[in-house]
Amino acid sequence: MNNNDLLQMRFPNRIRLTLAEACQALGISTATAHNHISADRFVLPILRESNRCYIHVRALAEYLDRLEAVSLEKSAKPAKRGRPTKAEQKAREAREATKKANN
């Protein structure tokens, strides 16, 4: 399931969400969202209608997809440079010793 399906299950038959509902899905407070909106730093496009803020469900789902992609890229750590620490050396020696003992 992708984020669009999950949002459609949570908010059925909705094209746009109120700011409070979008903040709940994002896990931030509405006060934080209002602060970001007033500073023009909010990450999603805002629809303003009669002094209320709305967000498209599709835009929210696409943003959540981008967040997942970035977090997956960050989770793949590059190889560590330099000499291993004493703890890393001892752990590797212990692994090699147990490998030899099992063979």
Side-chain angles (χ1 to χ4, degrees), residues 3-5 7-8 14-17 22 25-26 42-47 54-67:
N3 288 316
N4 193 27
D5 295 338
L7 288 172
Q8 286 298 329
R14 303 279 301 275
I15 296 172
R16 62 186 185 179
L17 302 174
L26 287 171
F42 198 65
V43 294
L44 295 169
I46 302 294
L47 300 170
Y54 296 98
I55 296 174
H56 279 286
V57 174
R58 182 177 290 155
L60 180 59
E62 289 172 357
Y63 175 72
L64 292 173
D65 289 336
R66 284 192 309 258
L67 279 181

Side-chain angles (χ1 to χ4, degrees), residues 80 82-92:
K80 191 174 172 184
R83 246 174 98 173
T85 63
K86 288 284 187 185
E88 292 170 339
Q89 288 176 355
K90 296 288 183 186
R92 184 175 21 166

